[in-house]
Amino acid sequence: MSPLIEVTDPHILDGSAVLIDVRGGADAHERYLAGHLPKAVFAGLDADLASHPEDAANGGRHPLPTLEDFADTLQRWGVTPDSHVIVYDDKAAAMGGARLWWMLRSIGHTNVQVINGGLKAATDAGIELATGDHQNEPAAAPYAIPAEYTNTVDIEEVKQAAKDEGRVVIDVREGVRYQGITEPLDKIAGHIPGAVNLFYSNSMSPEGKFLTSQALNTLYSEVIGDVLPKDVIVHCGSGVTACHTLLGMEHAGIIGPKLYVGSWSEWSRRDLPIATTEK
């Protein structure tokens, strides 16, 4: 199954899939209530797709929720292991949509797709939005979860990988953050020494959709080279936009790169070496 689904696909509106609208920010639920795809349930990036540690130095700003909490959330949304899940957000999958896609894939749920272009693509196609809240009938039992999220790495593995010529660590933040010129969200500017920069939005067309799979393969291959996908680590500021790149990689046929969930928000708080390229 392709990780992306076009807004013209009938499964989006025919009621056969569990449709999930993911929003981030303090006004996330208000934006959802003002307009969402018909029968889409609301998912909050902070409320549903992350836990809330007291110290971002241990796990970053958006660590994954416990598997038990995620299982309860999926049950509340009516998701079962047999569900076709379609997700989207209002940021062309750059915030919550790709994060939820990755989380589901990480627990073994393969029947999940992200709307290419997100909410904007739907409104551009003339789909009439619904307002107010929508709730699905909860699933009969909590989702049966594995022992752990797969395809993640911790900070210790990143330390080693960044120094290993046989591995690649990709930082998908904007260039000025990677270079150490500015840092709007975390305490220190710069990047992990040895990490390479590939801004996540380079994978998008001017219309806010992913480039073709062939174009994406070329884009990512220029950075990855001959390194095997399983030896590629992707990170961002807090483990959210990195999922956008992981989604693009899967669409490009590059299967197996791993997510460093803690990302820069964890690394920059741990008194570790920091690199910049500021002139």
Side-chain angles (χ1 to χ4, degrees), residues 5 18 31 56 58 72 88 97 99 102 117 120-121 126 195 208 223 253 262 274:
I5 186 170
V18 177
R31 299 201 318 275
N58 295 295
D72 290 343
Y88 71 93
R99 168 81 166 213
W102 181 90
K120 182 179 184 300
V223 175
I274 290 174

Side-chain angles (χ1 to χ4, degrees), residues 42-184:
F42 171 74
L45 172 61
D46 294 298
D48 298 313
L49 307 185
S51 59
H52 307 94
E54 294 182 2
D55 184 2
N58 295 295
R61 286 183 280 108
H62 286 108
L64 295 168
T66 68
L67 285 160
E68 292 76 15
D69 285 346
F70 190 37
D72 290 343
T73 299
L74 293 175
Q75 180 183 20
R76 171 166 53 86
W77 291 336
V79 175
T80 73
D82 295 326
S83 296
H84 178 194
V85 180
I86 298 176
V87 304
Y88 71 93
D89 61 26
D90 57 355
K91 303 293 183 183
M95 288 302 291
R99 168 81 166 213
L100 179 52
W101 168 85
W102 181 90
M103 288 171 63
L104 284 165
R105 290 300 305 273
S106 182
I107 65 168
H109 193 107
T110 58
N111 196 7
V112 54
Q113 295 176 291
V114 178
I115 296 177
N116 194 11
L119 187 64
K120 182 179 184 300
T123 56
D124 287 349
I127 295 177
E128 184 175 353
L129 301 183
T131 58
D133 201 16
H134 174 78
Q135 300 287 337
N136 289 337
E137 185 72 23
Y143 195 103
I145 53 174
E148 61 183 2
Y149 291 102
T150 62
N151 287 334
T152 66
V153 297
D154 61 18
I155 196 169
E156 295 302 322
E157 186 169 349
V158 175
K159 290 177 186 178
Q160 298 305 314
K163 298 183 289 186
D164 187 343
E165 292 184 358
R167 304 190 73 177
V168 175
V169 178
I170 302 175
D171 182 332
V172 306
R173 295 175 301 154
E174 190 174 5
V176 290
R177 294 179 68 190
Y178 171 86
Q179 294 162 14
I181 296 172
T182 186
E183 179 47 63

Side-chain angles (χ1 to χ4, degrees), residues 188-210:
I188 302 174
H191 62 267
I192 297 170
V196 297
N197 185 222
L198 179 61
F199 188 29
Y200 77 88
S201 70
N202 290 358
S203 64
M204 307 300 288
S205 72
E207 295 76 31
K209 292 189 174 184
F210 278 92

